[in-house]
Amino acid sequence: MVQFYSPNRRSVNRGIISVTADNLDAQGQGIARHQGKTIFIPGLLPGEQAQIQLTEEKRQFAKAKVVKRLSDSPYRVIPRCPHFKVCGGCQQQHVATELQVNTKASVLEHLIQRETGINISAQPIIHSPEYGYRRRARLGLQYHAKQRTLLMGFRQSQTNDLVNIKHCSVMRPELEQLLQPLSQCLNSLNAVKRLGHVELVLADNGPLIVLRHLDPLKHEDREILRTFSVQYRVAVYLAGDEKSLEPLIDAQSEPWYQVDGLKLVFSPRDFIQVNDEVNQQMVSQALAWLDLQPTDRVLDLFCGMGNFTLPIANKVQAAVGVEGVAALVASGQYNARLNKINNVDFFHENLESDIQQQPWAVQGFNKVLLDPARAGAAGVMTHIVKLAPEKVVYVSCNPTTLARDSKILLEAGYHLVSVRMLDMFPHTSHLESMALFSRESMTIE
């Protein structure tokens, strides 16, 4: 009989071993070493000793769970949220903020050094309020027939089940206080079994809710929602599908927020930065790094609705924003008119396609800002080099792609002048950052 070779699966040692964590990764996992292998252990902090059990073993590393913690780090704190360890939203509420941000800054510095060979500090960190910072949240809705109740909340860690959220300490208080009455309201609807999700957003002129419903809402349900809207002074929008958006009350004012003294109106479905305080500091830092002058022509790539573009345009000869989402381009154009800014143009273009054929690409610019999604900006980096701007500010939500894209600028002779870690999402593994590149060697105070 023919026998086929089949590699043996790597068996996992299920025995109990004792380790001491010596570091923390960006996800908040403790890092320990045992018999030459790196082990990642959720819930363990540097300096803490514990008995652990391996849950997964690879050639170079392993994962484990804590069976018994034998000592406590001075950086261990009591999580404020009652849903911690169950909800998948926050992973690091047990870690003191100082250790969280310093760890993320170290991870950022390590990635840049590994990819570019440059040793650079990510300090000073742009800090956030520890709690109550999130002005936007999307919660799933899930009807349980046996319990005859609608669950509203975030996904459980590593499952598709919902944690029924009654409190969320990272939400802005104005949104958190709506959680329980909103849950009661939605549970009272006839359409309770046919709801998709709900988004809570805090604009500068008040809170709003976007309710995704899978079937048309009957008059009775609309009246229940209208009563809720009036009682809690919250604007309600109905989304019958992923594209439609209907204000429940026609007289609802448009939501807006302020940045750098400008008023930016947005659609409830437009992307806005979740952390307003960090956004204000981030925009201010970008403007300072660009050292804007009245004669400058500035390009803003992946510009969204003009969060950077419009403050930049207020200070220069001309600004151009390029964005792939048509609705955001329309919001940027509207806000330019609203703020009487006449020296800015917005283009709706796919920055992953052949940008050489796009109308903005034939214009000249002496300074550039880009704020791409997690995939980075590989498609535009060579064109930025061709523009030969004096300065480039790169805002990033993924340090890996920031480090990768940086190499193109460095190989073209640019200098990495400064890097900042942005504490945009405290208690989570998300690592936001920004970097300044200059064609000339320079120092930043």
Side-chain angles (χ1 to χ4, degrees):
M1 183 172 65
V2 176
Q3 293 184 342
F4 293 95
Y5 169 75
S6 177
N8 294 325
R9 291 186 177 180
R10 185 175 296 276
S11 61
V12 177
N13 178 6
R14 299 293 180 180
I16 305 300
I17 58 177
S18 293
V19 299
T20 301
D22 57 20
N23 211 334
L24 196 70
D25 71 2
Q27 282 71 45
Q29 299 179 112
I31 302 174
R33 273 86 183 173
H34 181 73
Q35 296 181 350
K37 180 170 288 187
T38 300
I39 306 175
F40 296 95
I41 313 153
L44 199 63
L45 301 186
E48 291 183 338
Q49 186 179 14
Q51 293 177 341
I52 64 169
Q53 185 177 50
L54 300 186
T55 57
E56 183 180 344
E57 190 167 9
K58 303 290 186 182
R59 187 178 300 276
Q60 300 294 334
F61 69 92
K63 297 181 180 180
K65 64 180 180 180
V66 173
V67 176
K68 183 179 181 181
R69 195 171 67 248
L70 304 175
S71 63
D72 284 343
S73 163
Y75 291 104
R76 180 172 291 278
V77 296
I78 298 173
R80 183 180 297 187
C81 179
H83 306 292
F84 182 69
K85 289 188 177 180
V86 182
C87 173
C90 296
Q91 304 85 31
Q92 300 189 40
Q93 286 197 17
H94 65 297
V95 185
T97 300
E98 179 186 358
L99 180 58
Q100 287 186 41
V101 297
N102 287 336
T103 297
K104 290 180 182 180
S106 295
V107 169
L108 176 61
E109 292 165 2
H110 171 73
L111 280 170
I112 291 174
Q113 196 281 329
R114 187 185 70 187
E115 294 297 318
T116 69
I118 296 175
N119 290 307
I120 192 165
S121 172
Q123 304 275 359
I125 292 163
I126 293 181
H127 285 280
S128 164
E130 188 175 357
Y131 288 98
Y133 65 83
R134 178 176 276 276
R135 64 176 172 183
R136 184 174 206 136
R138 176 168 170 164
L139 295 93
L141 300 174
Q142 195 174 77
Y143 185 75
H144 275 222
K146 290 183 179 179
Q147 301 174 19
R148 294 185 178 181
T149 188
L150 180 74
L151 301 183
M152 182 181 80
F154 301 115
R155 300 290 175 192
Q156 254 182 24
S157 179
Q158 299 181 336
T159 77
N160 287 322
D161 296 330
L162 286 184
V163 180
N164 199 29
I165 296 292
K166 298 184 182 299
H167 302 280
C168 181
S169 53
V170 298
M171 278 189 191
R172 289 284 296 268
E174 300 93 326
L175 298 182
E176 185 188 24
Q177 67 188 13
L178 292 172
L179 290 175
Q180 294 194 50
L182 176 60
S183 177
Q184 293 168 3
C185 173
L186 297 181
N187 267 285
S188 70
L189 299 181
N190 293 314
V192 64
K193 299 178 183 179
R194 298 290 292 162
L195 302 177
H197 61 259
V198 64
E199 291 186 68
L200 283 71
V201 184
L202 183 63
D204 283 8
N205 55 328
L208 62 98
I209 289 169
V210 179
L211 177 63
R212 173 77 168 95
H213 54 96
L214 306 179
D215 296 329
L217 294 181
K218 296 181 179 179
H219 175 75
E220 183 181 349
D221 282 351
R222 286 174 172 266
E223 287 304 307
I224 291 172
L225 290 167
R226 188 172 282 109
T227 299
F228 175 86
S229 173
V230 173
Q231 180 179 355
Y232 291 96
R233 297 181 180 179
V234 54
V236 176
Y237 293 81
L238 304 177
D241 56 44
E242 292 297 334
K243 293 184 179 180
S244 67
L245 194 65
E246 173 196 353
L248 183 65
I249 299 173
D250 291 337
Q252 289 177 179
S253 59
E254 297 175 300
W256 54 269
Y257 72 92
Q258 286 188 316
V259 61
D260 199 49
L262 301 176
K263 178 180 178 180
L264 272 60
V265 171
F266 63 95
S267 162
R269 280 189 162 159
D270 283 350
F271 170 81
I272 62 170
Q273 292 289 353
V274 162
N275 191 322
D276 177 54
E277 187 159 328
V278 171
N279 184 54
Q280 301 289 340
Q281 296 179 68
M282 177 176 68
V283 172
S284 177
Q285 181 67 84
L287 299 185
W289 274 356
L290 287 170
D291 187 24
L292 299 171
Q293 304 299 321
T295 55
D296 286 340
R297 290 182 51 81
V298 184
L299 174 65
D300 182 6
L301 298 172
F302 311 93
C303 68
M305 56 178 281
N307 184 62
F308 290 101
T309 326
L310 296 172
I312 287 171
N314 236 4
K315 297 173 171 59
V316 300
Q317 177 186 328
V320 167
V322 187
E323 167 60 43
V325 179
L328 294 176
V329 170
S331 292
Q333 292 168 336
Y334 177 86
N335 283 306
R337 294 191 296 271
L338 179 68
N339 290 280
K340 299 180 180 179
I341 299 175
N342 303 314
N343 62 335
V344 61
D345 290 313
F346 287 92
F347 291 88
H348 173 216
E349 300 288 350
N350 179 5
L351 290 171
E352 299 303 319
S353 65
D354 182 9
I355 62 175
Q356 306 304 325
Q357 306 303 315
Q358 296 176 12
W360 64 269
V362 299
Q363 300 185 32
F365 305 94
N366 67 315
K367 292 174 183 176
V368 173
L369 181 140
L370 63 159
D371 184 8
R374 290 190 60 80
V380 301
M381 297 308 296
T382 55
H383 187 73
I384 291 175
V385 170
K386 289 179 182 177
L387 290 171
E390 302 163 19
K391 293 181 175 64
V392 177
V393 171
Y394 191 132
V395 181
S396 169
C397 61
N398 184 348
T400 302
T401 51
L402 168 63
R404 179 201 69 194
D405 295 343
S406 295
K407 289 191 288 188
I408 298 174
L409 293 173
L410 296 171
E411 288 167 1
Y414 280 82
H415 302 272
L416 177 55
V417 178
S418 192
V419 175
R420 294 282 187 274
M421 202 287 284
L422 312 175
D423 192 21
M424 185 74 79
F425 299 99
H427 311 301
T428 77
S429 60
H430 295 290
L431 199 168
E432 309 268 329
S433 59
M434 57 194 301
L436 169 64
F437 300 86
S438 174
R439 206 168 55 194
E440 304 295 332
S441 182
M442 57 184 292
T443 57
I444 291 287
E445 295 296 332

